Amino acid sequence: MGDSKTLNLNVRKDFPILSKKILEKKDLIYFDTAASAQKPNAVIDETNDFYENHYSNVSRGVHTLSVESTFRYEDARKKVQKFLNARSENEIIFTKSATEGINLVAQTFYEKFMQKGDEVILSLIEHHSNLIPWFFLRDKYGVVLKFANIQPSGEIDIDHFESLFTNKTKIVSLTHLSNVFGTELNEKVISICKDKNVPILLDGCQSAAHLKIDVQKLGCDFYVFSGHKTYGPAGIGVLYGTENLLSEMPPYQGGGGMIGDVSLEGASYAELPAKYEAGTPPLVEAHGLGIAIDYMNKIGLDNIIEHENEITKYAFNKLNEIDFIEIHGGDNKRNSIISFNIKNVHSHEVSSFLDVEGIAIRAGHHCCQPLMKHLGVNSTARLSFGVYNTLEEVDKFIIAIHKCKEFFNK
Amino acid sequence: MNDLINDLYQEIILDHGREPRNFGECEPHNKSADGHNPLCGDNLKLTFLLNDQNIIEDIKFTGEGCAISLASASLMTEKLKGKKIEVAEEIFKDFTNLVSGSDEDLKVLNEEDSLYALKGVGGFPMRVKCATMAWHAFKQALKD
Ligand SMILES: Cc1ncc(COP(=O)(O)O)c(C=O)c1O
């Protein structure tokens, strides 16, 4: 049984769902935070409070409730700005998800800066969310997509990546932390983009709550993440973009809130960030995200990261000792995510078996079908950890994995 | 061991999952369709030969999948071989009711049928798609 000093964050009481019994008798062991994180009381309560005491539309009216709602919405933006260390609130655009953020950049960046035959560099490990928006550009406008290879460790092959650049390369878009391997993007990749003067978008879905993010230090031009993976509500996402680029790119959707002045002949557009926020935004969810950020700050991101690293390492070593387990990726450092297969047992079987033991893991292609093809599997099982997980849960999982193997190979 | 798991993975399912029957491509065939589960990437190809009396003379499948999807496809081919299309369509309806936990009375399937072993899928709503993948391919092939 593992014990540890750092693991006593004492946060489990903050997450009401952790006292749920699965199938009426099993304690929930939630190892699917990479798909979506559970929500602390603070987020749940504050969301209710918003509806009960402060709710109205934002930036529209002048009455008291409109002021209270707008204050909360804009306050959340400030929190996100600090969380990412962006230079200004103008660089923080609220979207409905990371997916919407990537679509927004693909469309509007193309419109301003690209034409037929121009090139985008992606990689083999991208989530479908960071593939399909670019496929649209290929299909509609004849943009050329290039894909960086990966090494057996799961990291991008830097030499191959660098060889993909031409004078037609206009943008690079890569995952910051792989949702299959849990490996972090090598900083060299970003510096190569800087050297070549090509903007880079980082898909921060898996990094936002599991690494310390400083967009200025990172040097990325765009960074997207989803609130629901960072202990906040679903329905809210963030796009960070440098003010330079966001100012030059055209609006994404048209509607209320994103205009300067409208006549029947035409319209002028609002300044940043409103320019990219057409229509009534997910305002309560934005507030919830702000509260989730407060919550992470209260525990301390460094503590969260240390805690998760310890669990990840512990689980990795335990799994690595088992001969019927195949772990995908290398022995290199991973953050909070481990993908594996039990030899000769489909990941669906593993997931259903563990489910009745109360253990929630993800099985499938993780929205990374091109990567699955590369790995020569059509699905994997994935463990992913959050602030609330413990080494004891890993021990229970390991026992269940042995039972599972026995059951299917009897 | 948990009852739900034992219901889901009855011996016959594990057996057909490991060693699917009628695995391969039907030659000659005049009907075919691909089945695909977008949630997990599992897929199969179904081929069969329908003769001029509308009887399924031979039926086979290939593909990759979990035990539930392979066993369901394998048991389906065993059940449908030699059946008239009208009967096969009745079986399709019964089977989809059976695995989706619907209360509707079964018309042609009963507890004696090996397909009945898949009833346990009803306890795992997320796995219903695994169990019906081959069947939807069958329906699709009839339409094309
Ligand atoms: C790496 C990565 N990118 C993008 C996404 C898409 O996130 P969302 O569905 O919240 O937009 C996910 C979530 O599954 C992810 O893990």
Side-chain angles (χ1 to χ4, degrees):
Chain A
M1 186 75 61
D3 59 3
S4 140
K5 290 151 261 107
T6 58
L7 287 176
N8 222 339
L9 293 181
N10 200 17
V11 297
R12 290 182 63 85
K13 60 178 187 338
D14 300 338
F15 292 83
I17 205 164
L18 296 180
S19 48
K20 182 183 164 80
K21 298 282 180 220
I22 298 295
L23 302 167
E24 287 161 20
K25 49 179 192 275
K26 293 286 182 176
D27 288 335
L28 168 65
I29 296 181
Y30 190 72
F31 284 164
D32 199 17
T33 294
S36 206
Q38 295 298 349
K39 317 305 171 202
N41 266 322
V43 169
I44 299 167
D45 295 347
E46 276 283 334
T47 303
N48 280 335
D49 178 63
F50 198 139
Y51 282 120
E52 286 175 9
N53 296 306
H54 311 290
Y55 185 80
S56 166
N57 210 329
V58 289
S59 314
R60 303 279 201 283
V62 291
H63 56 71
T64 304
L65 290 182
S66 177
V67 172
E68 292 185 10
S69 290
T70 305
F71 172 79
R72 279 167 175 71
Y73 184 65
E74 291 305 328
D75 197 43
R77 196 188 308 277
K78 289 197 186 101
K79 289 174 185 173
V80 173
Q81 181 215 333
K82 288 211 183 86
F83 182 63
L84 299 181
N85 194 31
R87 290 164 212 85
S88 139
E89 286 155 46
N90 289 342
E91 297 181 322
I92 303 300
I93 312 295
F94 281 128
T95 59
K96 78 176 165 65
S97 59
T99 297
E100 189 180 47
I102 298 171
N103 278 279
L104 186 160
V105 172
Q107 301 271 332
T108 60
F109 187 91
Y110 170 82
E111 230 178 282
K112 176 70 191 178
F113 297 113
M114 295 175 73
Q115 56 186 15
K116 190 172 169 169
D118 282 344
E119 299 170 1
V120 178
I121 299 179
L122 308 166
S123 87
L124 254 181
I125 57 171
E126 300 312 314
H127 189 280
H128 296 162
S129 292
N130 192 29
L131 290 175
I132 313 297
W134 307 105
F135 286 9
F136 284 177
L137 298 189
R138 180 169 65 187
D139 298 345
K140 283 190 199 159
Y141 310 119
V143 163
V144 176
L145 306 183
K146 293 185 163 177
F147 302 92
N149 288 338
I150 56 166
Q151 297 169 320
S153 65
E155 288 172 292
I156 286 186
D157 178 336
I158 301 268
D159 293 337
H160 183 248
F161 170 73
E162 195 161 12
S163 76
L164 297 176
F165 282 83
T166 71
N167 56 9
K168 292 198 159 180
T169 308
K170 291 290 153 55
I171 188 167
V172 172
S173 190
L174 297 171
T175 182
H176 189 210
L177 188 74
S178 158
N179 66 316
V180 173
F181 298 123
T183 41
E184 187 183 343
L185 185 72
N186 190 328
E187 284 171 12
K188 266 192 233 148
V189 167
I190 304 174
S191 48
I192 290 170
C193 296
K194 294 272 111 176
D195 289 347
K196 312 231 179 228
N197 215 7
V198 173
I200 176 166
L201 181 153
L202 294 185
D203 172 358
C205 267
Q206 299 301 342
S207 61
H210 306 283
L211 293 175
K212 219 169 188 168
I213 304 302
D214 179 334
V215 287
Q216 296 187 56
K217 232 196 224 152
L218 273 171
C220 57
D221 301 271
F222 300 102
Y223 180 93
V224 299
F225 72 96
S226 283
H228 69 96
K229 296 191 201 263
T230 59
Y231 308 103
I236 182 74
V238 170
L239 161 64
Y240 156 83
T242 59
E243 204 159 345
N244 275 346
L245 287 168
L246 290 177
S247 305
E248 286 202 49
M249 285 147 44
Y252 177 52
Q253 293 182 326
M258 54 74 76
I259 48 88
D261 194 39
V262 182
S263 71
L264 288 183
E265 282 68 46
S268 63
Y269 303 125
E271 299 292 316
L272 290 174
K275 168 183 168 186
Y276 291 103
E277 295 180 1
T280 299
L283 54 141
V284 179
E285 289 77 5
H287 176 61
L289 171 58
I291 299 298
I293 289 173
D294 291 343
Y295 180 79
M296 289 188 281
N297 288 337
K298 200 179 84 193
I299 301 166
L301 215 57
D302 287 333
N303 292 329
I304 296 177
I305 293 167
E306 195 178 336
H307 172 86
E308 290 175 352
N309 283 349
E310 188 152 352
I311 295 183
T312 311
K313 207 165 83 203
Y314 183 73
F316 180 87
N317 289 337
K318 289 256 161 181
L319 278 174
N320 211 18
E321 283 168 7
I322 305 176
D323 57 359
F324 58 80
I325 296 274
E326 180 188 12
I327 300 180
H328 300 289
D331 297 340
N332 50 322
K333 187 168 168 315
R334 299 153 181 273
N335 295 72
S336 72
I337 292 172
I338 302 171
S339 287
F340 68 95
N341 284 95
I342 297 185
K343 284 177 193 152
N344 301 322
V345 183
H346 192 285
S347 67
H348 267 173
E349 266 74 78
V350 180
S351 182
S352 284
F353 188 93
L354 294 179
D355 181 39
V356 301
E357 301 284 320
I359 305 172
I361 64 156
R362 174 82 192 268
H365 54 53
H366 317 290
C367 299
C368 289
Q369 279 188 301
L371 173 59
M372 295 295 119
K373 206 166 169 190
H374 173 82
L375 294 175
V377 295
N378 77 340
S379 74
T380 78
R382 180 185 70 186
L383 291 176
S384 60
F385 306 113
V387 59
Y388 31 65
N389 292 122
T390 65
L391 298 185
E392 288 70 25
E393 289 179 319
V394 174
D395 288 334
K396 287 184 186 161
F397 159 79
I398 294 289
I399 293 170
I401 274 290
H402 282 282
K403 271 164 74 178
C404 176
K405 161 77 177 171
E406 220 168 278
F407 180 84
F408 287 105
N409 284 10
K410 66 183 174 215
Chain B
M1 190 58 55
N2 190 294
D3 286 347
L4 272 169
I5 280 291
N6 284 327
D7 283 351
L8 180 63
Y9 294 110
Q10 297 184 26
E11 198 46 53
I12 181 167
I13 291 179
L14 292 175
D15 173 33
H16 278 252
R18 274 185 216 116
E19 285 176 49
R21 320 296 198 266
N22 300 313
F23 197 82
E25 218 165 289
C26 202
E27 278 312 334
H29 66 261
N30 51 15
K31 296 275 173 197
S32 74
D34 294 326
H36 181 224
N37 185 347
L39 292 179
C40 59
D42 287 352
N43 59 78
L44 64 76
K45 180 178 168 114
L46 183 72
T47 46
F48 57 95
L49 180 65
L50 200 59
N51 70 16
D52 47 14
Q53 285 128 53
N54 263 348
I55 290 172
I56 300 166
E57 260 193 32
D58 196 11
I59 176 164
K60 289 187 178 167
F61 79 102
T62 59
E64 304 176 275
C66 58
I68 302 297
S69 65
L70 291 175
S72 181
S74 170
L75 292 166
M76 176 184 89
T77 56
E78 285 195 332
K79 183 76 186 174
L80 297 187
K81 199 187 269 191
K83 294 284 186 305
K84 264 193 115 83
I85 278 301
E86 297 75 40
V87 180
E89 299 213 50
E90 286 294 317
I91 297 172
F92 172 89
K93 271 189 218 144
D94 270 7
F95 181 78
T96 40
N97 283 333
L98 179 77
V99 293
S100 56
S102 150
D103 297 336
E104 237 173 272
D105 286 338
L106 303 181
K107 298 204 178 66
V108 286
L109 285 181
N110 62 49
E111 293 184 23
E112 310 287 298
D113 275 294
S114 47
L115 281 171
Y116 209 83
L118 283 154
K119 188 175 165 52
V121 174
F124 296 80
M126 300 305 282
R127 303 295 301 275
V128 172
K129 279 208 164 74
C130 308
T132 55
M133 178 167 74
W135 295 78
H136 286 298
F138 173 69
K139 264 297 224 210
Q140 188 59 42
L142 290 180
K143 273 190 218 146
D144 292 346

